[in-house]
Amino acid sequence: MITFIPPRLRVPLLYGIATLLFAAAWVVRGGKTWWFAILVIVTGFVRVAVLYRGGGTDTDAGALAGSRADERLKVVSTRSWALSGRTAMIASFLGVTAAIAVRAEWWWPFAVMLVLTGFGYLFGLSNNGFDSEDQDGAYAERNEPSPSRR
Amino acid sequence: MRNRVKEQRAAHGLSQADLGAALGVSRQTVISIESGRYLPSLPLAFRIARFFDMPVDKMFDPEDEESGS
């Protein structure tokens, strides 16, 4: 579905949707601080405008904001996401460990994060060809020399 | 790994932006390749070599890495 959206709009649109969801959560929460939702929307949409404007600039940040990353920027971005995922996993592990130690009731959000990041890692391995058998390996299994060694 | 991208680009009178546009990458990526900060993928290395009509092993020289420096 996202391919139907012009590339320059994709990141600002996702940011806008996230802003609206977060603001909606404040409204649903109710109470005296409901007005915080307005602040979230205003600052969020200023950020959306900045992202859209930045998406047109000839910089690495502009290319990321404008969804026109080339292979180098995709590598850089993937490494950053990997670091982000690793950080989340370590933080959730520390959180669940600390919660267990102090017999806290807030252990489960950390456990959920730990399971999700762990599942994401395993899914990433299987999705990116982990442990795929190459042709030489297949020949070796049958104790035959591969064609390249005959 | 050394490469001759900068040298060839200058010899052809191209700017980094021109070369980036011709190869389908950004100007910043051309800068990173020229300075050796980024090793291009095999398809991009071949595109660069073909663009300058050079063999890929002449465009990218692994000599530095092989000598253990």
Side-chain angles (χ1 to χ4, degrees):
Chain A
M1 187 204 79
I2 203 160
T3 52
F4 294 111
I5 303 165
R8 195 173 164 186
L9 280 177
R10 287 174 197 165
V11 172
L13 197 65
L14 282 174
Y15 200 91
I17 290 168
T19 298
L20 285 177
L21 284 173
F22 192 70
W26 273 97
V27 172
V28 169
R29 184 173 180 261
K32 288 177 183 172
T33 56
W34 67 268
W35 54 268
F36 189 71
I38 297 170
L39 197 66
V40 167
I41 287 176
V42 171
T43 53
F45 279 88
V46 167
R47 178 79 182 132
V48 167
V50 168
L51 276 172
Y52 181 77
R53 192 167 175 270
T57 57
D58 180 25
T59 60
D60 279 350
L64 280 181
S67 300
R68 48 184 167 75
D70 62 6
E71 64 163 53
R72 179 186 60 89
L73 213 46
K74 280 178 185 162
V75 168
V76 171
S77 177
T78 302
R79 285 179 183 167
S80 289
W81 277 112
L83 180 62
S84 162
R86 185 178 291 187
T87 306
M89 193 177 212
I90 292 169
S92 54
F93 172 75
L94 292 176
V96 79
T97 305
I100 287 168
V102 298
R103 296 177 183 231
E105 287 176 9
W106 38 262
W107 61 271
W108 64 268
F110 290 105
V112 168
M113 281 303 297
L114 189 60
V115 168
L116 284 178
T117 50
F119 178 77
Y121 176 72
L122 293 176
F123 183 73
L125 285 181
S126 70
N127 222 23
N128 291 295
F130 178 74
D131 207 21
S132 60
E133 190 66 67
D134 63 6
Q135 195 62 18
D136 261 0
Y139 278 99
E141 222 167 67
R142 299 203 301 267
N143 290 322
E144 288 176 24
S146 80
S148 63
R149 290 176 188 155
R150 279 174 194 159
Chain B
M1 183 177 290
R2 285 183 307 181
N3 68 69
R4 294 182 172 179
V5 177
K6 190 173 186 175
E7 170 195 317
Q8 286 296 312
R9 179 178 60 75
H12 286 74
L14 293 167
S15 68
Q16 289 167 329
D18 293 336
L19 181 59
L23 296 171
V25 297
S26 68
R27 183 176 57 84
Q28 291 81 6
T29 294
V30 173
I31 294 168
S32 294
I33 293 170
E34 284 184 354
S35 64
R37 284 199 310 272
Y38 174 66
L39 285 177
S41 67
L42 206 49
L44 179 56
F46 272 96
R47 281 212 304 279
I48 295 169
R50 281 182 187 146
F51 183 80
F52 291 118
D53 201 19
M54 281 180 81
V56 75
D57 61 332
K58 292 279 187 290
M59 180 61 76
F60 296 93
D61 183 7
E63 202 174 296
D64 280 355
E65 287 190 354
E66 283 172 1
S67 65
S69 59

